Amino acid sequence: MKRMNAEEAKKTLRGSIAPIITPFHEDESLDLDTLKSLIDWHIQSGSHGISVTGTTGEPSSLTLKEREQVMEIAIKAVNKRVPIVPGTGSTNHQESLHLTKLAQEMGADAAMVIVPYYNKPSQHALYKHFKTIADSVDIPLIIYNIPGRTAVNLEVKTLARLNEDCPNIIGVKESNKDFEHINRVLLHCGRDFLLYSGIELLCYPMLAIGGAGYISATANVLPSKVAEVYNAWEAGNVEEAMKLHYDLMPLNDVLFKDTNPAPLKAALGMMGKINPTLRMPMDLPSESLQKEIRSVLADYGLVEKIGSEA
């Protein structure tokens, strides 16, 4: 199987890479048939790539074996129709190493490795962690910086050092609201470094500074419109891209009024796409928020308006 190299990845891994939820049956077991259906729906809807087992996929609620199963099923379901970038990082270095090597063996196009959460490594320790993983594989790597979840920020100087020392570290998903930090990523890592937004309201602005696209949870609910923002921008239709950006804001806002992916799963349940089950300690949003989610979905024509049922 021919593997995508770093230069090919830099040309291909662009646009809306949808970070798909992990569906469960009511008894909280994996619903892999629904996962396959969701992947087909995303590809048909125009998502430019697929990611699984990132934050939206509840990886910390999955066993190691389950993460392996989800990656394997997803890679097979995508079947090279679009690039697939599974999340392979965790708070455990050896587990991150194992999953990243496995993603390569399974035929993933790249892997996304999160800054380890909870243990708050120093910048030196983060460099060592990511370099060790990068040196162990040939697969292109995207680092995932999400300080709101990990309690530590991967500093630009650390990322630039990794970019310089590890040819297969080709990009970063920045779920960082500090837009000054994000600008400095491309300044210090180079304009060909792949910069993705993980903050919904920064997806469009990040394209304007040279970003490669975004990995937006909202794509789970409205994949076509989320992908169209990038398509419009890439076609040079700035006004249309900006219009779509503002059109999506009410949906973006309501989907983050509780911790991701709880509102997403509630929404997808209302749309008939999944059984809306999360594993504890996560749970569905309050009844009042679910009512608000349904109202917003109705505004987008994704469910019937409350009271309009026959």
Side-chain angles (χ1 to χ4, degrees), residues 33 35 48 50 89-90 99 104 130 140 155 164 170 176 179 181 186 192 196 207-208 228 233 286-287:
D33 286 337
L35 176 64
H48 304 102
I50 299 292
S90 86
L99 288 169
Q104 176 171 292
F130 285 117
E155 294 176 5
E164 186 174 340
I170 61 165
N176 188 329
F179 207 57
H181 165 101
L186 290 183
D192 66 338
Y196 305 93
L207 294 174
E228 283 168 18
W233 175 266
S286 66
E287 284 187 24

Side-chain angles (χ1 to χ4, degrees), residues 40-88:
D40 286 342
W41 177 53
H42 273 276
I43 294 172
Q44 291 159 12
S45 299
S47 292
H48 304 102
I50 299 292
S51 182
V52 292
T53 59
T55 300
T56 305
E58 296 175 78
S60 57
S61 296
L62 303 176
T63 66
L64 183 60
K65 183 167 182 57
E66 285 174 330
R67 289 188 68 171
E68 293 171 1
Q69 282 181 281
V70 170
M71 282 202 311
E72 182 179 20
I73 291 295
I75 290 166
K76 286 179 178 175
V78 169
N79 194 26
K80 297 293 179 185
R81 289 178 288 170
V82 295
I84 179 160
V85 186
T88 59

